[in-house]
Amino acid sequence: MLVLAASPSFVSCGGQRPVRFGVVTDLHYSRREPYGTRYFPQTMDKLKEAMEVFNSSNLDFVIEMGDLKDQDNVSQREQTITYLDEIENVFQSFRGPVYHVLGNHDMDSISKDDFLQHTSNQGDADKKAYYSFAFDNIKFIVLDANYNLDGTPYDKGNFDWTKAYIPKDQIDWLKKELKGNNKPVIIFIHQLLDRFSDISKSLCVSNADEIVPLLEENGNVLAVFQGHHHAGHYSFRNNIHYWTMKGMIEGNLPDNNSFAVVEIDTQNNIHIDGFYNCEDKDLNRFTV
């Protein structure tokens, strides 16, 4: 195990207190029949169990990293919105701030605006697809890669899920969010950014090679939290952890679920306390 020196531009959490949050991803809730390893209706009870844990865990916020809902075998906008309303109601049972990351299935039979109008984020992040917020000197940035390669947003299934893309205006916004920032940063995104790793490129943001250098140049990005790949994944490059969480949808109750409580300590080390299929993991800032 090699320990590296801290970057001189990096500022720690200031010794204040750990930041703690709950995280889930890839719920794919609907009332359709099970398909393979996906038990769509069961994610309602899985999320309820996660919320019980989150509400008793002294958390600052809870975030879901995309694919909150699914659809029926035959796409129907109104029915899909009903599923979204049902699972969002449980997600909002957390007694504190909640945030959403958009996933490709969130636009499978509805528009991006439909999703945003039927979900709520805390404060200034409400009704936004990409945004930032802060807790106790840590900056959290949520990205939205649900765009076609021509820059048009995913809309009612009009997309190829293997071609996720972050358009120029959002990249310009990200540059501004990172510029001059000396706080520790966590990135949330649905599709994967670590195209440089051994993961299939079809799971990754198509222009990730344009995004990752921005994160590395900033010097303060601790980790990228991702969903989309239900089996989970992990990679590390240039002092940034890329942690892909296992999907909640996978597997039958009562033995299968996936959620986690994440703690970032005052030295900017990250501990993931995983439940069920989500393993515990430590993401230390200066360890490779």
Side-chain angles (χ1 to χ4, degrees), residues 23-26 37-39 42-43 46 49-50 229-233 243-261 272-281:
V23 60
V24 296
T25 193
D26 293 86
T37 58
R38 300 184 181 188
Y39 293 81
Q42 291 188 10
T43 54
K46 291 178 179 181
E49 181 178 9
H229 181 45
H230 296 186
H233 187 255
W243 182 72
T244 302
M245 186 179 191
K246 290 186 176 181
M248 179 178 277
I249 182 64
E250 296 295 330
N252 202 356
L253 287 171
D255 298 324
N256 293 286
N257 199 347
S258 178
F259 57 93
V261 170
I272 299 170
D273 182 11
F275 293 77
Y276 294 92
N277 298 332
C278 181
E279 300 95 345
D280 296 350
K281 193 167 185 65

Side-chain angles (χ1 to χ4, degrees), residues 123-188:
D124 292 340
D126 197 29
K127 311 310 176 195
K128 294 179 180 178
Y130 59 92
Y131 53 89
S132 67
F133 59 97
F135 277 94
D136 202 44
N137 203 43
I138 297 180
K139 186 169 188 173
F140 299 90
I141 297 176
V142 173
L143 298 177
D144 173 19
N146 297 285
Y147 292 84
N148 298 302
L149 297 183
D150 63 0
T152 58
Y154 286 8
D155 183 42
K156 303 181 186 70
N158 181 27
F159 57 85
D160 177 350
W161 69 267
T162 69
K163 301 292 191 294
Y165 182 76
I166 296 179
K168 183 180 183 301
D169 58 346
Q170 189 175 160
I171 294 175
D172 290 341
W173 171 85
L174 175 61
K175 290 177 179 177
K176 291 178 181 178
E177 289 291 311
L178 294 172
K179 184 177 181 181
N181 174 71
N182 63 355
K183 295 179 179 180
V185 175
I186 299 290
I187 304 291
F188 293 111

Side-chain angles (χ1 to χ4, degrees), residues 195-267:
R195 280 176 60 93
F196 55 82
S197 72
D198 61 349
I199 198 70
S200 170
K201 302 301 183 284
S202 67
L203 297 166
C204 299
V205 177
S206 296
N207 59 336
D209 294 342
E210 186 178 357
I211 307 301
V212 168
L214 300 177
L215 308 183
E216 295 178 345
E217 290 166 9
N218 175 262
N220 293 325
V221 178
L222 302 178
V224 178
F225 281 70
Q226 310 170 141
H228 197 47
H229 181 45
H230 296 186
H233 187 255
Y234 171 77
S235 67
F236 180 87
R237 193 177 89 166
N238 291 339
N239 222 21
I240 299 175
H241 301 274
Y242 295 80
W243 182 72
T244 302
M245 186 179 191
K246 290 186 176 181
M248 179 178 277
I249 182 64
E250 296 295 330
N252 202 356
L253 287 171
D255 298 324
N256 293 286
N257 199 347
S258 178
F259 57 93
V261 170
V262 179
E263 179 172 297
I264 307 174
D265 69 20
T266 57
Q267 300 303 309

Side-chain angles (χ1 to χ4, degrees), residues 7-25:
S7 166
S9 67
F10 188 77
V11 176
S12 74
C13 291
Q16 299 179 37
R17 64 172 182 82
V19 172
R20 291 167 53 82
F21 59 91
V23 60
V24 296
T25 193

